[in-house]
């Protein structure tokens, strides 16, 4: 990029302010086990051209010590640099300690800004561990209840509960939940990593008798429902268990500790069974009111069992918890048969329902969840991958004690409809459940299909975030790597996945075999290394997402942490290459007309292309962290490119085809174009053939999950944005508009109307084209430090806008077309530089506000390119 400029005669506005302090991407995190956490901030300033030239960070053990004269832990002093994320480099952090911190910044004119509002972070157990705590539980099919009564003799100033359950622990203190998280802690490969959570329980305790209680759920750890992915036979599988340590600090300086051990008591709870696939059975007659509160008679309870310790390393949970994020009333209620009630919530989602009912003791109310209805109006709930006649079905057995309210705790479902039987009148409320990630962007357009597609993609992505990125919340709940591979850029554009993907990258590393292989689902209980594998287009998600973490968030630590395992993975992939080609059993999954899997073409084409892109990503990572020995990777990319073009490029015809399917395939040509693999002298002919095929199909796509995200950007890049727009705005099969016409509110797994899943994001990746080409806003790297604004897909559109909250602050691009006059607004955060491409032939046709612009723009392919620094810029082109 050229050097940024500010308006002639302007100077930057006031000194820099600081907004949104974070530590390890979280605001005021409770329970960090990172010995050198990264402190980050966003710089803000009025006016134009503001830059950060220096910073000063203070860290102290109390707010009273947080001054330049008194900071007792760390004072960086005035340090030169424009960093927005600083690794803590003070004295070793103590376990179970809260640290307070603040920062001030100097701008490019060396003016000091104000100190930020103080924030804090708190360490977890660090090397101290769980001390004398033991894993405890009970051997029972029912979800066990565990309790421990204890006395506190003096006033409390601070109390922390450090706990983990396998798979889930619903924790309570004196009858109150310790947090609003559900399905906690997060799912991992339990043979490698077990996550624990820190809870602030200060306000829940009091002098006198107290009770710590837990109800344990099975999740994937103790899943007993037979299924094709063999989760019921995972190497870690076992009965639910709990590990806990409570530390209470008193006003008199003493400390009380409580650990999970065999002094705890246990009983079978009212949740008679729970399964992520089958659902839950809850018998309210088995409730023991007050079991988790003081004064309860637990004389009939037995002693908790000490259970084997999992192999996985205990680590503090850093990613966002899963929560009930929204509650929705029914949209419509029908009665297809006597005694049967079907509730339509008007949206396809993930979660469960809260049941409110009055029924006689012993009455069983059944809740059957599904995404579709049968012709007779009943709910369809069938899963051929689960070897059980029960699927997504909750059962509630009433106590007969008046109005009763219940919701599941240990199994979420994918659904729109719930069928209720066994209740004359039942009141249901939808509880939407997913990882509580922050929204990152907001998009608008005057094209209905565009707005629908972006909204549907956002909802579908959220419905598939449950500690891992899943493929569908109804049928599998698996972390399919191919789905995340194609979806990651769009996903990270819609929501903040800095913490979420950091966690999942750890899952990818944990899933590696000794020789470097990755399975097609992560985490895995042993399935996916031989089944539907090898699949290069799936497992190359590891280097791709790793490289994207720097582009999205400027993260270099995660690059260093994964450098060795990601290279070990590439070594495994390269050892499989034959004659410059990689093999895969999956390929371009589910294009139109192939509802059972990939089309017949040779999948070595896409496998080789994806491996080439993965190695290119690792080369870039190596260059960013200064790693040696990249020559072998450069050599490998050259051999792969040569192998792909030798085998699949028909130079005479000017297209890519495979012997297995001589017919033209859009993905086979769009992917090499997108990944820069087409020899320069034949690019124009390959593009022309791609355009000709799209036109011959009456502007319809013919792509599966690999091709769908690159087709429209490739057409646009090579001057055919009008063709891309016609494809995007289609309303007939196969297209996104076809789904809209069918009444879809989320994205489907297949293009056909009889699709298996209606909550599948991998065919919605054209959203990236909406954000990067229709609105024109593109992240050019290093956590949005470099930005490109180029609205080059405006055909059939009169206005579009997007705003994105990044690690550097808010970035936005908005344009509207009035006649031939284009009005373009761009917001650039402090420390970033933007190349703004304004459609115009001559500088006299463009008005820039504020004015005058100090440098000559560059002419490029019908655009005038302005390089601007921070601030809000307006451009008006009279020849657009």
């Amino acid at each position: 990029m050229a050097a940024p400029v500010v308006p002639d005669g302007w100077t930057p506005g006031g000194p820099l302010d600081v907004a949104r302090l974070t530590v390890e991407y979280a605001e005021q995190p409770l329970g960090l086990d990172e010995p050198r956490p990264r402190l980050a901030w966003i710089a803000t300033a009025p006016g134009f051209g503001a830059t950060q030239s220096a910073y000063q960070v203070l860290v102290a053990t109390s707010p009273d010590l947080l001054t330049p004269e008194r900071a007792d832990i760390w004072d960086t002093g005035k340090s030169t640099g424009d960093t927005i994320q600083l690794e803590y480099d003070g004295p070793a952090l103590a376990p179970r300690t809260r640290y307070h911190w603040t920062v001030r910044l100097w701008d490019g004119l060396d003016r000091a800004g104000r100190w930020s509002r103080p924030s804090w972070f708190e360490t977890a157990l660090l090397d101290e561990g769980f001390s004398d705590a033991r894993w405890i539980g009970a051997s029972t099919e029912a979800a066990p209840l565990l309790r421990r009564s204890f006395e506190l003799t003096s006033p409390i100033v601070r109390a922390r509960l450090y706990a983990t359950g396998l798979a889930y622990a619903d924790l309570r203190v004196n009858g109150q939940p310790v947090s609003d998280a559900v399905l906690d802690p997060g799912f991992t490969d339990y043979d490698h990593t077990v996550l624990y959570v820190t809870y602030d329980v200060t306000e829940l305790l009091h002098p006198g008798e107290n009770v710590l209680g837990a109800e344990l759920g099975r999740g994937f750890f103790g899943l007993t429902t037979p299924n094709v992915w063999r989760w019921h036979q995972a190497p870690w599988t076992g009965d639910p268990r709990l590990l806990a340590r409570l530390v209470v600090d008193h006003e008199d300086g003493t400390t009380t500790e409580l650990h999970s051990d065999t002094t705890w008591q246990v009983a079978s709870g009212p949740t008679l069974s729970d399964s992520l696939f089958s659902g839950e059975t809850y018998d309210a007659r088995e409730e023991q009111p007050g079991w988790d509160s003081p004064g309860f008679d637990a004389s009939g309870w037995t002693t908790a069992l000490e259970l084997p310790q999992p192999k996985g390393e205990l680590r503090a949970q850093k990613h966002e918890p899963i929560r009930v994020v929204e509650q929705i009333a029914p949209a419509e209620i029908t009665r297809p048969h006597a005694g049967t009630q079907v509730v339509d919530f008007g949206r396809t989602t993930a979660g469960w329902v809260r049941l409110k009912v009055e029924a006689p003791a012993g009455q069983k109310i059944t809740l059957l969840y599904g995404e579709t209805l049968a012709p007779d109006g009943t709910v369809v709930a069938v899963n051929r991958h689960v070897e059980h006649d029960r699927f997504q079905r909750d059962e509630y057995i009433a106590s007969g004690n008046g109005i009763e309210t219940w919701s599941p705790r240990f199994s979420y479902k994918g659904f729109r409809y719930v069928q209720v039987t066994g209740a004359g009148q039942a009141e249901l409320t939808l509880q939407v459940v997913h990882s509580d990630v922050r929204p990152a962007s907001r998009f608008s357009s005057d094209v209905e299909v565009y707005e629908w597609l972006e909204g549907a993609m956002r909802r579908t992505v959220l419905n598939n975030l449950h500690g891992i990125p899943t493929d569908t919340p109804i049928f599998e709940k698996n972390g399919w790597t191919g789905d995340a591979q194609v979806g990651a850029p769009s996903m990270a554009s819609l929501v903040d996945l800095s913490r979420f993907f950091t966690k999942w990258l750890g899952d990818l590393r944990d899933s590696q075999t000794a020789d470097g292989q990755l399975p097609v689902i992560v985490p895995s209980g042993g399935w996916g290394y031989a089944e539907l594998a090898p699949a290069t287009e799936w497992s190359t998600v590891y280097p791709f997402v790793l490289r994207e973490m720097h582009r999205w968030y400027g993260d270099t630590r995660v690059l260093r942490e994964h450098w060795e395992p990601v290279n070990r993975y590439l070594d495994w992939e390269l050892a499989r290459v034959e004659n410059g080609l990689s093999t895969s059993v999956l390929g371009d999954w589910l294009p139109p007309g192939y509802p059972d899997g990939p089309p017949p073409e040779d999948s070595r084409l896409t496998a080789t292309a994806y491996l080439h892109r993965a190695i290119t990503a690792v080369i870039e990572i190596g260059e960013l962290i200064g790693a040696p020995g990249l020559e072998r990777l450069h050599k490998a990319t050259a051999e792969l490119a040569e192998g792909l073009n030798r085998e699949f490029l028909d130079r005479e015809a000017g297209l890519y085809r495979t012997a297995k399917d001589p017919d033209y395939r859009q993905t086979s040509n769009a992917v090499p174009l997108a990944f820069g693999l087409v020899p320069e002298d034949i690019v124009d002919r390959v593009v022309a053939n791609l355009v000709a095929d799209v036109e011959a199909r009456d502007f319809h796509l013919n792509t599966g999950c690999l091709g769908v995200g690159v087709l429209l950007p490739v057409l646009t890049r090579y001057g055919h944005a009008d063709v891309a727009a016609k494809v995007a705005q289609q309303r007939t099969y196969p297209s996104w508009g076809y789904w809209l016409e069918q009444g879809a509110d989320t994205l489907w797994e297949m293009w056909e109307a009889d699709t298996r899943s209606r909550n599948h994001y991998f065919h919605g990746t054209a959203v990236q084209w909406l954000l990067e080409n229709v609105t024109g806003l593109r992240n050019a790297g290093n956590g949005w430090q470099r930005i490109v604004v180029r609205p080059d897909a405006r055909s059939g559109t009169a206005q579009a806008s997007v705003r994105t909250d990044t690690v550097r602050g808010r970035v936005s691009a908005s344009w509207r077309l009035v006649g031939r006059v284009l009005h373009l607004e761009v917001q650039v955060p402090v420390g970033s530089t933007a190349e703004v491409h304004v459609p115009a032939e001559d500088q006299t046709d463009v008005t820039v506000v504020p004015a005058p612009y100090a440098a000559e723009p560059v002419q490029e392919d019908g655009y005038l390119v302005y390089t601007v620094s921070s601030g809000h810029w307006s451009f008006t082109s009279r020849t657009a």
Side-chain angles (χ1 to χ4, degrees):
M1 284 188 175
V5 297
V6 298
D8 194 24
W10 285 68
T11 58
L16 299 180
D17 275 332
V18 179
R20 195 169 183 262
L21 301 185
T22 60
V23 181
E24 293 298 313
Y25 298 114
E27 296 183 62
Q28 299 180 334
L30 180 70
L32 287 178
D33 65 354
E34 171 55 58
R36 300 183 66 184
R38 292 165 296 176
L39 315 179
W41 55 85
I42 291 174
T44 64
F48 297 83
T51 58
Q52 175 188 314
S53 63
Y55 60 87
Q56 181 179 7
V57 173
L58 305 177
V59 180
T61 52
S62 79
D64 295 338
L65 297 174
L66 204 60
T67 70
E69 293 76 30
R70 304 181 66 191
D72 63 332
I73 297 298
W74 192 40
D75 180 355
T76 64
K78 181 181 179 182
S79 302
T80 302
D82 62 354
T83 183
I84 59 169
Q85 188 181 77
L86 179 67
E87 189 173 85
Y88 172 81
D89 196 26
L93 299 173
R96 301 184 290 106
T97 302
R98 178 167 293 190
Y99 293 91
H100 302 263
W101 72 288
T102 185
V103 61
R104 66 171 170 173
L105 308 175
W106 282 261
D107 67 5
L109 300 178
D110 203 33
R111 296 178 295 184
R114 296 174 295 183
W115 287 101
S116 69
R117 184 188 298 272
S119 189
W120 56 264
F121 63 93
E122 189 172 307
T123 56
L125 296 173
L126 296 177
D127 294 335
E128 194 176 80
F130 274 81
S131 184
D132 297 325
R134 297 290 182 267
W135 287 93
I136 59 172
S139 182
T140 173
E141 182 67 24
L145 305 179
L146 296 103
R147 75 185 307 272
R148 177 65 156 83
S149 175
F150 58 98
E151 294 282 335
L152 296 176
T153 58
S154 63
I156 301 149
V157 294
R158 196 180 90 140
R160 298 291 184 267
L161 174 62
Y162 307 93
T164 180
L166 293 177
Y168 305 130
D170 184 13
L171 299 164
R172 310 180 76 79
V173 171
N174 294 332
Q176 299 297 315
V178 300
S179 81
D180 59 357
V182 297
L183 304 174
D184 214 28
F187 173 38
T188 58
D189 178 341
Y190 299 117
D191 271 353
H192 290 85
T193 300
V194 174
L195 301 177
Y196 72 90
V197 184
T198 302
Y199 304 99
D200 183 349
V201 295
T202 308
E203 299 302 319
L204 300 179
L205 296 170
H206 52 72
E209 183 188 6
N210 293 265
V211 173
L212 177 57
E215 184 175 8
L216 305 181
R218 291 186 167 274
F220 280 114
F221 176 79
L223 187 68
T224 57
T225 308
N227 59 92
V228 299
W229 310 284
R230 301 194 301 274
W231 290 115
H232 58 297
Q233 297 173 339
W236 60 67
T237 191
D239 289 323
R241 58 204 63 188
L242 172 75
L243 183 72
R245 179 184 178 190
L246 175 67
V247 183
V248 183
D249 298 322
H250 300 282
E251 285 183 357
D252 61 7
T254 62
T255 298
T256 300
E257 289 214 25
L258 179 73
H259 306 93
S260 54
D261 55 29
T262 54
T263 64
W264 287 52
Q265 295 172 291
V266 65
S268 293
T271 303
L272 304 185
S273 66
D274 66 278
S275 163
L276 282 170
F277 295 131
S278 298
E280 303 178 35
T281 296
Y282 186 93
D283 191 341
R285 299 171 301 177
E286 299 296 320
E287 291 177 344
Q288 300 187 51
W291 70 272
D292 52 3
S293 300
F296 177 76
D297 180 6
S299 58
W301 289 41
T302 59
T303 300
L305 298 176
E306 181 173 342
L307 297 176
Q309 177 177 327
K311 294 180 181 178
E313 178 185 349
L314 283 163
R315 296 176 182 167
Q317 180 164 288
K318 297 178 184 177
H319 66 294
E320 299 88 346
I322 300 169
R323 290 190 173 99
V324 175
V325 297
E326 193 176 1
Q327 303 201 55
I328 305 295
E332 184 181 8
I333 299 175
T334 58
R335 297 185 180 277
H337 303 296
T340 300
Q341 175 180 320
V342 173
V343 180
D344 177 2
F345 288 99
R347 60 188 285 185
T348 309
T349 190
W352 50 64
V353 295
R354 185 182 65 218
L355 169 68
K356 187 175 181 181
V357 68
E358 186 171 10
Q363 179 73 41
K364 181 190 290 186
I365 296 96
T366 300
L367 307 171
L368 188 66
Y369 300 76
E371 293 179 345
T372 58
L373 298 178
D376 66 352
T378 57
V379 168
V380 175
V382 179
N383 188 349
R384 60 186 175 88
H385 299 303
V386 175
E387 301 166 24
H388 200 283
D389 60 359
R390 176 175 172 177
F391 176 62
Q392 288 211 146
R393 188 175 80 213
D394 289 333
E395 297 173 342
Y396 179 80
I397 302 171
S399 68
N401 295 323
I403 297 176
E404 305 173 44
T405 303
W406 173 80
S407 59
R409 289 188 183 89
F410 304 124
S411 63
Y412 73 94
K413 293 86 175 172
F415 66 103
R416 171 174 172 169
Y417 306 96
V418 178
Q419 180 174 305
V420 187
T421 56
Q425 288 290 337
E427 180 182 322
L428 300 187
T429 302
L430 164 61
Q431 296 188 309
V432 181
V433 177
H434 57 68
S435 294
D436 194 12
V437 294
R438 297 173 63 248
S441 63
R442 184 173 181 178
F443 167 82
S444 71
S445 169
D446 63 328
V447 177
E448 181 188 20
V449 172
Y450 290 177
E451 287 208 335
W452 174 86
L453 175 57
E454 191 272 348
M457 181 66 166
R458 182 184 299 272
R459 289 187 293 273
T460 309
V461 166
L462 290 172
N463 291 339
N464 280 285
L465 300 183
H466 293 89
I468 63 172
T470 65
D471 62 327
T472 162
I474 178 172
F475 291 107
E476 302 192 22
K477 301 178 173 66
N478 287 321
W480 281 93
T481 52
D483 298 50
Q485 165 102 288
V486 298
S490 300
M491 295 162 72
S493 295
L494 298 171
V495 294
D496 180 356
L497 294 177
S498 52
R499 299 166 65 190
F500 186 95
F501 268 142
T502 297
K503 183 267 183 186
W504 196 59
L505 282 167
D507 294 334
L508 283 161
R509 177 177 54 200
D510 284 352
S511 73
Q512 272 194 303
T513 61
D515 60 0
Q517 183 186 6
L518 294 172
V520 293
I521 61 171
V522 173
S524 168
W527 189 93
Y529 295 93
E531 300 85 357
L532 293 184
T536 319
E537 308 96 331
W538 267 242
S539 50
T540 48
V541 68
Y542 188 18
F544 178 66
V545 169
L546 187 62
R547 172 63 183 88
E548 291 294 272
M549 288 293 287
H550 186 268
R551 191 173 71 89
W552 299 327
Y553 310 116
D555 195 330
T556 54
R557 173 188 281 178
V558 72
L559 307 184
R560 294 192 299 270
E561 289 177 344
H562 288 269
W563 178 248
E564 186 278 329
V566 82
N567 273 274
R568 188 154 45 91
Y569 163 67
L570 286 187
D571 288 342
W572 181 84
E573 285 285 5
L574 288 170
R576 296 194 306 111
V577 170
E578 295 183 6
N579 298 320
L581 298 173
S582 178
T583 58
S584 170
V585 302
L586 292 178
D588 191 32
W589 195 255
L590 296 178
Y594 294 91
D596 295 324
E601 65 258 23
D602 190 335
S603 58
R604 291 182 301 168
L605 192 160
T606 51
T608 304
Y610 270 82
L611 182 56
H612 182 279
R613 186 179 72 163
I615 297 173
T616 301
V618 174
I619 291 171
E620 293 173 0
I621 292 169
E623 292 171 345
L624 285 166
I625 64 176
L630 301 180
E631 296 81 7
R632 69 182 184 91
L633 298 181
H634 282 288
K635 180 181 177 183
T637 59
E639 291 173 351
L640 289 167
E642 194 278 330
L644 182 143
N645 288 317
R646 180 187 63 245
E647 183 71 20
F648 301 116
L649 175 60
D650 182 337
R651 279 188 162 271
E652 183 176 346
L655 54 84
Y656 288 81
R657 61 159 55 101
T658 74
K660 291 185 177 181
D661 185 0
D663 294 336
Y664 188 90
R665 304 295 302 183
Q666 291 176 2
T667 296
S668 297
N669 290 271
V671 166
L673 285 166
F675 293 178
L677 291 165
V678 183
E680 186 174 350
D681 65 316
I682 204 170
V683 165
D684 289 345
R685 294 178 64 201
V686 175
V687 170
N689 277 305
L690 178 62
V691 172
D693 184 81
V694 173
E695 291 176 341
R697 296 178 186 274
D698 194 22
F699 300 97
H700 285 83
L701 54 77
N702 186 31
T703 54
C705 70
L706 301 182
V708 70
V710 298
L711 176 63
L712 304 187
V714 161
L715 291 170
T716 302
R717 181 197 306 175
Y718 291 104
H720 301 280
D722 57 333
V723 175
K726 289 179 180 179
V727 174
Q729 296 176 26
Q730 272 289 351
R731 295 289 188 123
T732 56
Y733 169 86
S735 69
W736 301 282
Y738 174 71
W739 289 344
L740 172 59
E741 294 292 332
Q742 299 297 309
D745 65 301
T746 48
L747 303 180
W748 296 354
E749 183 178 17
M750 304 168 188
W751 295 106
E752 289 74 20
D754 60 351
T755 178
R756 181 188 72 138
S757 166
R758 299 196 172 203
N759 222 334
H760 223 99
Y761 60 75
F762 67 8
H763 276 150
T765 52
V767 161
Q768 202 66 13
W769 175 79
L770 295 179
L771 303 177
E772 295 189 350
N773 296 94
V774 176
T775 69
L777 182 60
R778 307 174 198 182
N779 173 11
N782 193 20
W784 291 87
Q785 186 177 41
R786 295 178 293 116
I787 301 164
V788 173
V789 179
R790 184 183 173 95
D792 52 8
R794 303 183 307 279
S795 179
T797 314
Q799 72 86 16
S801 68
V802 65
R803 69 183 192 199
T804 299
D805 291 321
T806 77
V807 291
R808 298 182 186 275
R810 177 160 291 181
V811 181
S812 67
S814 175
W815 62 266
R816 69 185 190 279
L817 187 64
V818 182
R820 291 195 64 198
V821 178
L822 180 80
H823 302 275
L824 174 62
E825 307 280 332
V826 178
Q827 177 70 39
V828 183
V830 171
S832 293
T833 300
E835 280 186 1
V836 183
H837 296 234
V838 182
E841 295 295 335
D842 191 274
Q843 189 174 356
T844 59
D845 294 319
V846 177
T847 301
V848 182
V849 177
Y853 184 75
E856 290 289 325
V858 177
Q859 183 70 50
E860 180 182 303
D861 297 329
Y863 290 82
L864 291 176
V865 182
Y866 297 80
T867 303
V868 300
S869 53
S870 67
H872 187 95
W873 298 82
S874 298
F875 302 85
T876 301
S877 171
R878 288 172 288 278
T879 60

